[in-house]
Every structure is written in C-alpha cells, then in structure tokens.
Amino acid sequence: MLLQIGYELLWDVPSPAPAIVKLYLHPSQLPRLKQPECVTVEPEIPIEEFIDEFGNRAGRLILPTGRVRLWNHAIVEDNNRPEPVNPNARQHAVEDLPLRTVPYLLSSRYCEVDLLSEIAWQLFGQTPPGWARVQAVCDWVHENVRFGYEYARPTKTAYDVYTERTGVCRDFMHLAVTFCRCLHIPARCAAGYLGDIGVPPCPLPMDFSAWFEVYLDDRWYAFDARHNIPRVGRILMARGRDAVDIAFATSFGLLNLVKFTVWIDKVIEDIAIG
C-alpha cells in the first residue's frame, strides 16, 4: 500500500525569528519512501539540516518578516498491517536494561515521575509486569482522559492531565509515558502521521499524531493511549523524552500560525510515482 503524506504551514512573522523545525520523516522511515520528501519554504530561504541527539532530522532557519509558507509532500510504502502486538513481552529489571534506555526512566519537562510514582504503583502495581502492565496503563488513560482540542495548552504536563482528565493526543502520550517510567519501564515519546486507515473516519481536521514507545523484551514497541488499538499506516517523524524533543517547530521569536493542514491518504492507482 502506498500513502501520500504532507503538510502546509503558514505563519505570519512580525519580525525575523530563528527557528528549529522537525518536519521531516525520521531517518528510520527513509527506506519506505517511494517519492522523496520535498520540504519547501516560501519565500525561499536556506535551511541548515542536522540530526539531533535523539536521531531526529531537524532544520535550522531564520523566518523573515511577513507571511512564510512551509510545506512538504512524499509518498511512502506501508505493509498495510497493524503494529506488532506481543502479549508475552517481558519487562527487564532496571539493572539489566541497556544503558541507552535508562534516560527514558527519568523525569523530564512534561513527565513528572516524582509526582506520579505513588499514584502509578497504586493503580498498576498489581498488574503483571511487561506487556500487560503497559496495556493496563493505556486502558486507564484511554478510559479516564477526555479528548478535545479545546483542552490543549503548551504548558500542560502529565500531572496536569492526571488531575484535569482532559487533553489532546500529546497529553495522553505524556501521562502514559510517565506512568510507564514510574513502573520502571523505559518509555519515549513519538510523533508523526496517522491516517484513518482501516478505522471509521474521524470528523476532526487531520493533525499530526503523538504516541509512545516502550522497551520490552529487547526491543521498542509502539503504544497509543488515545486510540488504544494497533493501527495501520503510522509514520514516524520524531522521538524523544517528551514534547520538548519532538516539537515540530520551536521559534526564538513570535510566530502567528495562520494555516495548518496535514494529510495522509492512500495513493490511487492512476497517480504516477516518479
């Protein structure tokens, strides 16, 4: 199955503003490309591309005064199968974890392990360790947090989500990630494209999606506390400790978002791939 993906962002920039954007596919996704990405800025300005400390592709640029349009388009191959499910995946003892996974046990800007540890053990301490425990976390967050764009705010943390019981997909992600870390399961945040493939269409406007990955049985597995079912066509853009590391745009100056459009659709047969 082929998927066409892309986005269009339009900003009103009052004065020149340096920015870091993570609006590329993650390097792990490049073998899936059937039509290369084409990240374009209008007016044409240089982008200094680099790989960040988490392995994400990123770009540094200076947005000029006025209207700035940034868009991208690519075609990606997908195996048309849901993400792997392994109910027997075991949980590692902390002392046996690979060192590279240990940072994903710790508190971060939006994931307050210290504030939620006692709560996490009260809620999930009796569940079997491993896959079942992560699934119990997803079930609880899915059932107890109400989704709505009106509940979004940039300063909202996992503890806020727990107390308010509302949020957008990144808030579901932050709370589930924090609970997993409290339970000594390495968990990292992820973001990218997720279309309505094999599920009823969502009536809300298309957006980028946030989910998370946990380290069990010597590998990382994807989980999604908002949707709480394995999905087809998830395409990774960025990974990190929390939303700070996977933000699609971080500006060092004022940006007013005028337009934000994201798409992911099946490619119909008469579209030429070149």
Side-chain angles (χ1 to χ4, degrees):
M1 177 178 65
L2 298 179
L3 302 173
Q4 51 184 339
I5 61 173
Y7 55 79
E8 181 183 12
L9 305 176
L10 184 64
W11 286 299
D12 184 11
V13 185
S15 59
I20 301 293
V21 296
K22 296 182 181 179
L23 287 163
Y24 305 86
L25 292 183
H26 191 271
S28 64
Q29 306 297 292
L30 297 184
R32 301 173 63 182
L33 280 173
K34 294 302 178 182
Q35 185 179 84
E37 289 188 280
C38 184
V39 177
T40 307
V41 184
E42 185 181 281
E44 185 175 350
I45 54 176
I47 304 178
E48 179 186 3
E49 296 186 14
F50 63 98
I51 302 295
D52 73 7
E53 61 184 302
F54 301 99
N56 304 313
R57 293 178 68 199
R60 181 171 67 171
L61 68 166
I62 300 176
L63 301 174
T65 301
R67 288 288 176 96
V68 179
R69 178 173 175 251
L70 194 152
W71 74 97
N72 191 9
H73 180 268
I75 294 181
V76 177
E77 186 172 38
D78 188 80
N79 62 17
N80 201 23
R81 294 195 297 269
E83 295 134 347
V85 173
N86 182 6
N88 297 317
R90 63 189 174 90
Q91 180 174 335
H92 298 267
V94 172
E95 61 270 24
D96 296 330
L97 284 167
L99 289 177
R100 68 182 184 278
T101 68
V102 172
Y104 299 106
L105 293 174
L106 307 178
S107 290
S108 56
R109 165 68 177 84
Y110 290 100
C111 300
E112 309 104 321
V113 173
D114 51 346
L115 292 180
L116 285 166
S117 282
E118 184 176 351
I119 294 167
W121 283 102
Q122 289 173 353
L123 290 172
F124 309 110
Q126 301 306 310
T127 59
W131 187 278
R133 183 164 286 177
V134 179
Q135 188 58 59
V137 167
C138 283
D139 292 344
W140 192 94
V141 175
H142 180 77
E143 293 166 5
N144 288 276
V145 179
R146 183 168 66 253
F147 179 88
Y149 288 116
E150 67 272 25
Y151 305 126
R153 67 176 186 271
T155 59
K156 198 168 193 176
T157 69
Y159 188 76
D160 293 331
V161 180
Y162 174 75
T163 56
E164 298 172 22
R165 306 293 172 94
T166 58
V168 291
C169 59
R170 82 172 218 163
D171 301 315
F172 284 68
M173 171 188 71
H174 281 148
L175 183 55
V177 162
T178 307
F179 278 153
C180 287
R181 292 179 187 175
C182 292
L183 300 165
H184 306 161
I185 302 169
R188 64 189 183 187
C189 297
Y193 297 91
L194 180 62
D196 298 324
I197 300 169
V199 297
C202 177
L204 300 172
M206 180 63 68
D207 194 352
F208 292 123
S209 185
W211 61 93
F212 70 106
E213 299 173 344
V214 299
Y215 192 82
L216 296 171
D217 220 354
D218 298 316
R219 59 160 289 182
W220 292 96
Y221 288 94
F223 282 83
D224 187 335
R226 180 195 167 190
H227 298 102
N228 204 26
I229 56 171
R231 294 286 292 267
V232 173
R234 201 184 296 274
I235 302 173
L236 180 68
M237 295 174 71
R239 292 185 178 116
R241 293 164 300 188
D242 58 29
V244 171
D245 302 323
I246 63 175
F248 296 115
T250 302
S251 66
F252 302 88
L254 181 62
L255 301 181
N256 298 311
L257 185 62
V258 177
K259 182 179 182 180
F260 176 57
T261 306
V262 178
W263 60 86
I264 173 171
D265 301 293
K266 288 184 180 181
V267 175
I268 57 177
E269 293 183 1
D270 59 352
I271 291 182
I273 309 300

